[in-house]
């Protein structure tokens, strides 16, 4: 307890120096937290874009991706008959300019069969204004809503089909938050018998994929977990590069801690001599100085976590408002934990050498020479 | 004859400071007996402080034998030496050497924290015993006078109930009035059975001691009761 009090008071005694050192650590940690939370958000968006809760997405073999694919709606019925298929949902994606409340706006439309929005997005689609759309209705994601600023009940003209704006929704995916959703039947006049793809749930994706491709000519079934994993692996490389950069910031922060602690050891040589004179072992002296460097790093870590989350939130929000760019940011306990672990690492490694120097102080010289 | 608590035999201490070789102690033989008030006097540079540091296991001799708490200190590990300094001896210094970031009470509890754990009640009792009132307990050292600081240092030295108090010029920074008061504290501790070894160059203090040792150029040149020694 006394050791901790000493550490706190020593930091408080040299406020400016402590604050600068803490900020140095905080910048490194905030970079780690920020990059981790944006990377997690991007991973989440990839999962949503590649199938939500579905284990397979059936699309046209010739289409490069599900969004630009076109299939006959009978494909879903044929897929459903394959043993092992638990659930299917057809989705029609369409990117078009719509008129909402008299204002023209390009937007991605996702028309989902029987309104199974949660299944397609892979997380809860929550109405925050009005309700989720039924037949003849549409709803806008929160980002699209903020950009267009319509009113509930406005007419949404899709160019041939008019829907009533029933609500605004929010999901954990910023990608989905930029879309307009409706039911598959609402846009029948636009799509005819076409759908973009079929979302399939099965416990045996590999076998069902083979069966689908064998039985239905011209289609391809994508295993979402593999596709997601592939993209996430690519993303992870970028994430690692980002984390490596933030580690450099962390190392700079650590050097700041080491410098502060070395100065502290030099200034407190006499105090170290006294500690030894009253019975502190070398190990105990090391511990006392390590507690201080850990304290600096943990305060820096906590501040870095707050700055990382708040700073990223502000940047993401500004990008959405000013540029209309959707960036998902997900902060999980392990993101914060990662920040703290890096902070602890900084505290231990940067405090080790100064603490060892302190432990080596000769008490007789320290007491005699100052 | 009282038990010997610290024993030195042929102790030499040589310091090498660059090309200069300083022989601080040149074969010192000395026995400190339980309960005595021993005063080591001598001019500056005579090796008094070095001798005291060696007696308290804070320093080791270049050659010779030193037994503290019945153990030869030359071969002890850092942990064992620290244990002796923590429990068997208590140091009091001329410059008080309190830890500035700890309060009066915490300074006294610090050696306890290094041993079995902090005992706040005992720390308070020790402070009261050396004549500091409760109003000072939560003050920091820079809020105290010199005499008060030295009282805290004495209480800290008593923290783990040591056998011997080793005091290095404890009145060196104090005026006559405060010096007298501090000497009264030491005398009272000695009367309670505590062994006191004090180093000083202030010859007027020898009257407080049972035995006086005169050190000159690293050697004991005279030894006896305050009346016997010719200073």
């Amino acid at each position: 307890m006394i050791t901790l009090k000493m550490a706190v008071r020593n930091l408080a005694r040299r406020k400016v120096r402590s604050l600068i050192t803490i900020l140095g650590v905080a910048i490194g940690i905030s970079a780690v937290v920020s990059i981790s939370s944006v990377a997690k958000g991007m991973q989440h968006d990839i999962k949503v874009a590649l199938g939500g809760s579905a284990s397979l997405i059936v699309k046209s073999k010739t289409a490069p991706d599900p969004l630009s694919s076109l299939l006959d709606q009978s494909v879903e019925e044929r897929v459903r008959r394959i043993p092992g298929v638990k659930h299917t949902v057809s989705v029609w994606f369409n990117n078009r300019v719509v008129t909402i409340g008299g204002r023209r706006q390009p937007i991605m439309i996702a028309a989902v069969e029987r309104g199974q929005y949660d299944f397609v997005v892979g997380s809860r689609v929550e109405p925050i204004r009005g309700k989720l759309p039924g037949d003849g209705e549409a709803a806008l994601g929160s980002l699209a809503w903020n950009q267009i600023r319509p009113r509930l009940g406005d007419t949404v003209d899709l160019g041939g089909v008019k829907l009533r704006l029933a609500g605004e929704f929010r999901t954990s995916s910023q990608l989905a938050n930029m879309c307009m959703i409706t039911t598959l039947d609402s846009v029948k006049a636009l799509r005819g018998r076409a759908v973009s793809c079929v979302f399939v749930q099965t416990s045996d994706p590999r076998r069902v994929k083979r069966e689908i491709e064998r039985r239905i000519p011209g289609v391809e079934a994508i295993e979402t977990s593999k596709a997601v994993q592939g993209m996430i692996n690519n993303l992870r490389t970028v994430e690692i590069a980002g984390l490596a950069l933030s580690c450099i910031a962390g190392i700079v922060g650590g050097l700041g801690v080491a410098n502060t602690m070395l100065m502290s050891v030099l200034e407190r040589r006499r105090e170290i001599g006294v500690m030894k004179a009253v019975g502190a072992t070398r190990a105990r002296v090391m511990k006392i100085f390590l507690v201080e460097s850990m304290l600096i790093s943990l305060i820096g870590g906590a501040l870095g976590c707050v700055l990382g989350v708040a700073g990223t939130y502000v940047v993401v929000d500004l990008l959405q408002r000013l540029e209309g760019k959707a960036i998902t940011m997900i902060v999980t306990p392990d993101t914060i934990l990662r920040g703290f672990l890096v902070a602890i690492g900084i505290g231990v490694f940067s405090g080790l050498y100064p603490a060892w120097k302190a432990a080596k102080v000769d008490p007789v010289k320290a007491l005699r020479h100052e | 004859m009282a038990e010997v608590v610290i024993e030195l035999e042929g102790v030499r201490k040589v310091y090498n400071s660059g090309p200069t070789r300083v022989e601080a102690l040149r074969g010192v033989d000395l026995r400190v007996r339980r309960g005595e008030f021993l005063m080591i006097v001598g001019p500056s540079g005579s090796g008094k402080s070095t001798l005291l540091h060696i007696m308290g296991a804070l320093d080791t001799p270049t050659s010779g034998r030193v037994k503290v708490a019945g153990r030869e200190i030359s071969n002890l590990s850092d942990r064992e030496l620290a244990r002796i300094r923590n429990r068997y001896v208590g140091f009091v210094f001329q410059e008080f050497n309190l830890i500035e970031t700890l309060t009066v009470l915490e300074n006294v509890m610090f050696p306890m924290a290094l041993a079995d754990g902090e005992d706040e009640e005992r720390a308070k009792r020790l402070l009261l015993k050396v004549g500091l009132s409760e109003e000072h307990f939560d003050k920091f050292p820079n809020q105290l006078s010199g005499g008060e600081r030295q009282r805290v240092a004495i209480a800290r030295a008593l923290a783990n109930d040591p056998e011997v108090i080793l005091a290095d010029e404890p009145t060196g920074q104090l005026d006559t009035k405060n010096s007298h008061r501090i000497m009264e504290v030491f005398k009272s501790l000695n009367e309670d059975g505590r062994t006191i070894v004090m180093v000083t160059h202030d010859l007027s203090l020898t009257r407080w001691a049972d035995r006086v040792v005169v050190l000159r150029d690293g050697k004991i040149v005279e030894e006896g009761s305050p009346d016997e020694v010719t200073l």
Side-chain angles (χ1 to χ4, degrees):
Chain A
M1 193 62 191
I2 279 186
T3 305
L4 190 62
K5 278 184 190 168
M6 277 170 80
V8 171
R9 288 179 194 152
N10 272 311
L11 293 188
R13 236 164 83 170
R14 298 168 182 91
K15 285 189 189 67
V16 175
R17 189 203 293 173
S18 303
L19 191 69
I20 290 170
T21 315
I22 286 168
L23 275 177
V25 176
I27 289 167
I29 303 301
S30 69
V32 171
V33 169
S34 171
I35 288 169
S36 296
S37 49
V38 169
K40 274 212 162 57
M42 287 168 89
Q43 287 172 11
H44 179 73
D45 276 349
I46 287 170
K47 282 182 189 161
V48 171
L50 292 177
S53 304
S55 32
L56 288 171
I57 298 176
V58 180
K59 70 167 186 69
S60 154
K61 205 171 188 172
T62 52
D65 58 68
L67 297 180
S68 51
S69 158
L70 276 179
L71 298 172
D72 187 84
Q73 66 184 22
S74 64
V75 169
E76 185 190 354
E77 187 51 40
R78 294 172 72 184
V79 169
R80 199 177 295 156
R81 281 204 294 268
I82 292 172
V85 170
K86 288 182 182 165
H87 190 59
T88 58
V89 174
S90 290
V91 185
W92 181 70
F93 292 112
N94 193 247
N95 214 340
R96 65 169 53 211
V97 177
V98 300
T99 309
I100 304 173
R103 188 174 163 188
R104 284 166 64 78
Q105 175 76 30
I107 197 163
M108 168 67 79
I109 300 164
V112 180
E113 187 189 2
R114 303 187 301 278
Q116 293 185 68
Y117 309 113
D118 288 359
F119 178 71
V120 172
V121 173
S123 64
R124 194 167 135 65
V125 179
E126 182 190 3
I128 50 177
R129 201 191 305 254
K131 65 182 184 72
L132 293 180
D135 289 342
E137 293 173 330
L140 286 173
S142 56
L143 292 176
W145 184 285
N146 283 339
Q147 214 169 0
I148 301 167
R149 303 206 169 277
R151 280 177 304 193
L152 276 181
D154 274 356
T155 300
V156 180
D157 188 346
L158 306 183
V161 170
K162 288 185 176 170
L163 306 174
R164 194 182 76 85
L165 187 61
E168 177 192 356
F169 68 89
R170 182 173 51 201
T171 76
S172 58
S173 160
Q174 298 293 57
L175 207 63
N177 288 339
M178 290 192 79
C179 292
M180 183 171 87
I181 56 170
T182 183
T183 63
L184 207 54
D185 285 345
S186 303
V187 290
K188 199 165 175 41
L190 293 176
R191 64 178 182 86
R193 287 185 54 80
V195 294
S196 298
C197 53
V198 180
F199 283 58
V200 181
Q201 195 179 36
T202 171
S203 54
D204 188 357
R206 191 182 291 182
R207 188 186 60 76
V208 171
K209 168 187 162 66
R210 276 201 310 270
E211 275 305 296
I212 290 172
E213 289 172 352
R214 193 176 64 79
R215 289 191 193 189
I216 311 168
V219 306
E220 180 190 6
I222 306 166
E223 279 185 71
T224 53
S225 60
K226 278 192 182 168
V228 166
Q229 205 48 53
M231 289 194 72
I232 285 176
N233 285 346
N234 289 340
L235 187 65
R236 197 150 282 159
T237 314
V238 178
E239 186 190 356
I240 288 168
L243 284 175
L245 282 175
S246 57
C247 275
I248 292 173
I251 288 168
V252 173
L255 287 175
V257 176
N259 183 47
T260 295
M261 292 309 300
L262 273 175
M263 283 170 76
S264 183
V265 171
L266 286 176
E267 289 165 358
R268 290 160 63 193
R269 279 175 62 84
R270 189 177 194 90
E271 186 181 312
I272 296 165
V274 174
M275 287 177 196
K276 289 192 165 184
V278 299
T281 57
R282 280 197 281 266
R284 185 67 183 225
V285 172
M286 269 192 93
K287 186 180 157 192
I288 287 169
F289 280 85
L290 275 176
V291 164
E292 206 166 308
S293 68
M294 285 295 299
L295 189 67
I296 293 175
S297 300
L298 284 176
I299 296 172
L303 188 64
C305 287
V306 173
L307 284 178
V309 172
T312 313
Y313 180 82
V314 169
V315 171
V316 164
D317 193 54
L318 275 176
L319 279 173
Q320 278 160 9
R321 280 172 201 275
L322 303 176
E323 302 281 325
K325 288 198 166 53
I327 299 170
T328 306
M329 168 190 166
I330 296 178
V331 181
T332 56
D334 72 286
T335 308
I336 302 295
L337 186 69
R338 189 185 285 188
F340 268 101
L341 285 177
V342 174
I344 289 170
I346 289 174
V348 171
F349 285 108
S350 56
L352 221 47
Y353 177 67
W356 178 72
K357 288 282 279 184
K360 272 183 52 182
V361 166
D362 177 349
V364 175
K365 283 185 186 162
L367 291 168
R368 185 176 287 158
H369 285 303
E370 289 175 44
Chain B
M1 202 66 153
E3 183 191 342
V4 174
V5 288
I6 298 175
E7 188 176 0
L8 290 85
E9 219 178 278
V11 168
R12 285 177 67 248
K13 181 72 185 179
V14 179
Y15 291 110
N16 289 308
S17 175
T20 322
R21 188 168 176 276
V22 180
E23 201 166 354
L25 297 175
R26 305 163 184 238
V28 173
D29 298 315
L30 182 66
R31 283 187 175 82
V32 181
R33 292 193 179 81
R34 170 165 290 147
E36 78 170 324
F37 193 146
L38 173 69
M39 202 163 283
I40 301 169
V41 296
S44 283
S46 59
K48 303 184 299 288
S49 294
T50 302
L51 183 60
L52 198 77
H53 290 155
I54 289 175
M55 290 168 89
L58 194 60
D59 203 353
T60 49
T62 308
S63 64
R65 277 185 346 111
V66 180
K67 271 173 98 174
V68 184
R71 302 184 70 185
E72 167 76 64
I73 66 163
S74 307
N75 305 318
L76 295 184
S77 66
D78 171 62
R79 182 177 288 270
E80 289 166 321
L81 289 171
R83 192 179 162 82
I84 287 176
R85 294 194 296 267
N86 184 238
R87 300 180 189 208
Y88 196 75
V89 300
F91 277 102
V92 178
F93 300 97
Q94 180 177 359
E95 295 85 2
F96 323 124
N97 284 339
L98 300 176
I99 296 175
E100 295 297 317
T101 46
L102 297 181
T103 63
V104 164
L105 195 60
E106 288 162 353
N107 262 287
V108 180
M109 288 196 293
F110 185 72
M112 298 178 185
L114 299 173
D116 301 324
E118 300 155 27
D119 182 345
E120 194 174 320
E121 287 312 308
R122 178 172 157 73
K124 285 179 178 172
R125 280 200 305 275
L126 289 172
L127 284 164
L128 292 171
K129 183 176 177 154
V130 296
L132 269 181
S133 57
E134 278 186 39
E135 66 191 82
H136 294 99
F137 290 180
D138 293 326
K139 287 183 180 171
F140 286 92
N142 62 6
Q143 297 170 302
L144 302 178
S145 69
E148 288 164 342
R149 287 190 202 195
Q150 199 57 296
R151 285 170 197 268
V152 180
I154 296 170
R156 180 181 66 186
L158 294 168
N160 290 325
D161 196 18
E163 179 69 45
V164 186
I165 298 287
L166 300 170
D168 189 357
E169 305 269 12
T171 59
Q173 301 271 346
L174 305 177
D175 56 30
T176 316
K177 195 170 148 192
N178 270 308
S179 292
H180 187 82
R181 284 180 181 160
I182 289 297
M183 289 309 295
E184 279 178 337
V185 173
F186 280 112
K187 192 65 192 169
S188 147
L189 292 173
N190 180 238
E191 281 166 1
D192 289 346
R194 194 89 49 186
T195 311
I196 311 280
V197 179
M198 187 178 290
V199 155
T200 183
H201 68 272
D202 183 353
L203 302 179
S204 69
L205 298 180
T206 53
R207 64 189 168 92
W208 296 88
D210 302 324
R211 185 158 66 110
V212 178
V213 164
V214 183
L215 204 63
R216 191 167 295 136
D217 297 328
K219 278 184 177 172
I220 294 177
V221 292
E222 210 176 345
E223 189 177 347
S225 69
D227 298 332
E228 288 167 356
V229 173
T230 53
L231 297 164

